[in-house]
Protein backbone atom coordinates (compact mmCIF):
# COMPACT_ATOMS: atom_id res chain seq x y z
CA UNK A 1 0.00 0.00 0.00
CA UNK A 2 2.84 2.37 0.86
CA UNK A 3 4.47 1.70 -2.50
CA UNK A 4 1.28 2.65 -4.37
CA UNK A 5 1.04 5.92 -2.44
CA UNK A 6 4.67 6.81 -3.19
CA UNK A 7 4.24 5.95 -6.88
CA UNK A 8 1.06 8.05 -7.10
CA UNK A 9 2.75 10.97 -5.34
CA UNK A 10 5.75 10.88 -7.71
CA UNK A 11 3.45 10.69 -10.73
CA UNK A 12 1.48 13.72 -9.59
CA UNK A 13 4.63 15.77 -8.99
CA UNK A 14 6.13 14.88 -12.38
CA UNK A 15 2.89 15.52 -14.25
CA UNK A 16 2.52 18.89 -12.50
CA UNK A 17 5.96 19.97 -13.73
CA UNK A 18 5.17 19.10 -17.34
CA UNK A 19 1.77 20.81 -17.16
CA UNK A 20 3.33 23.96 -15.71
CA UNK A 21 5.53 24.37 -18.78
CA UNK A 22 3.79 26.39 -21.46
CA UNK A 23 3.50 25.00 -24.97
CA UNK A 24 4.55 27.40 -27.71
CA UNK A 25 3.98 27.36 -31.45
CA UNK A 26 6.22 28.69 -34.23
CA UNK A 27 5.11 28.13 -37.81
CA UNK A 28 4.39 24.37 -38.01
CA UNK A 29 6.29 23.40 -34.83
CA UNK A 30 4.76 23.06 -31.36
CA UNK A 31 7.25 22.76 -28.52
CA UNK A 32 7.92 23.29 -24.82
CA UNK A 33 11.04 25.43 -24.37
CA UNK A 34 13.48 24.09 -21.76
CA UNK A 35 13.39 25.87 -18.41
CA UNK A 36 16.17 28.41 -17.93
CA UNK A 37 16.88 28.84 -21.64
CA UNK A 38 16.96 32.26 -23.32
CA UNK A 39 14.58 32.69 -26.25
CA UNK A 40 15.15 35.08 -29.15
CA UNK A 41 12.33 35.50 -31.67
CA UNK A 42 12.82 36.99 -35.12
CA UNK A 43 10.57 37.02 -38.20
CA UNK A 44 11.75 33.70 -39.67
CA UNK A 45 13.71 32.16 -36.78
CA UNK A 46 13.33 31.22 -33.12
CA UNK A 47 16.54 30.56 -31.21
CA UNK A 48 16.75 28.90 -27.81
CA UNK A 49 20.10 29.09 -26.05
CA UNK A 50 21.80 28.35 -22.76
CA UNK A 51 25.34 29.17 -21.71
CA UNK A 52 27.57 27.88 -18.93
CA UNK A 53 30.23 30.55 -18.56
CA UNK A 54 32.23 28.60 -15.97
CA UNK A 55 32.71 25.63 -18.28
CA UNK A 56 32.79 27.69 -21.50
CA UNK A 57 30.02 25.56 -22.99
CA UNK A 58 26.76 26.44 -24.69
CA UNK A 59 23.88 24.91 -26.59
CA UNK A 60 21.86 26.56 -29.34
CA UNK A 61 18.60 25.30 -30.86
CA UNK A 62 17.38 27.10 -33.97
CA UNK A 63 13.91 26.67 -35.47
CA UNK A 64 13.53 27.99 -39.02
CA UNK A 65 10.24 28.95 -40.64
CA UNK A 66 9.10 26.44 -43.25
CA UNK A 67 9.36 27.28 -46.94
CA UNK A 68 7.27 25.89 -49.81
CA UNK A 69 8.67 22.97 -51.74
CA UNK A 70 9.85 23.36 -55.32
CA UNK A 71 8.98 19.76 -56.17
CA UNK A 72 9.20 16.22 -54.89
CA UNK A 73 12.06 14.80 -52.81
CA UNK A 74 13.96 13.50 -55.84
CA UNK A 75 13.97 16.91 -57.47
CA UNK A 76 15.00 18.70 -54.29
CA UNK A 77 17.90 16.35 -53.54
CA UNK A 78 19.18 16.42 -57.13
CA UNK A 79 19.30 20.20 -57.19
CA UNK A 80 22.71 20.16 -55.49
CA UNK A 81 23.67 16.69 -56.62
CA UNK A 82 26.35 15.48 -59.02
CA UNK A 83 26.25 18.64 -61.14
CA UNK A 84 27.68 20.70 -58.29
CA UNK A 85 30.61 18.34 -57.73
CA UNK A 86 33.80 19.24 -59.52
CA UNK A 87 36.48 16.81 -60.57
CA UNK A 88 39.13 16.52 -57.88
CA UNK A 89 37.08 18.28 -55.19
CA UNK A 90 36.55 15.15 -53.08
Amino acid sequence: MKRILITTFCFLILSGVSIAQSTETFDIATFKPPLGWKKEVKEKVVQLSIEDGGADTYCLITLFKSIPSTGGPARASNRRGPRSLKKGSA
Side-chain angles (χ1 to χ4, degrees), residues 36-73:
W37 288 52
K38 185 171 69 172
K39 182 172 82 169
E40 186 177 336
V41 180
K42 296 183 181 178
E43 184 182 346
K44 297 181 180 182
V45 175
V46 171
Q47 282 189 333
L48 303 167
S49 63
I50 191 163
E51 189 175 343
D52 183 3
D56 289 334
T57 59
Y58 66 94
C59 183
L60 181 68
I61 299 172
T62 306
L63 300 173
F64 294 95
K65 190 171 184 175
S66 62
I67 56 173
S69 172
T70 58

Side-chain angles (χ1 to χ4, degrees), residues 5 10 15 17 30 36 44 58 60 64 66 68 74 79-81 85:
L5 288 174
C10 290
S15 64
V17 170
T30 301
K44 297 181 180 182
Y58 66 94
L60 181 68
F64 294 95
S66 62
R79 196 172 353 151
R80 289 187 260 3
L85 295 177

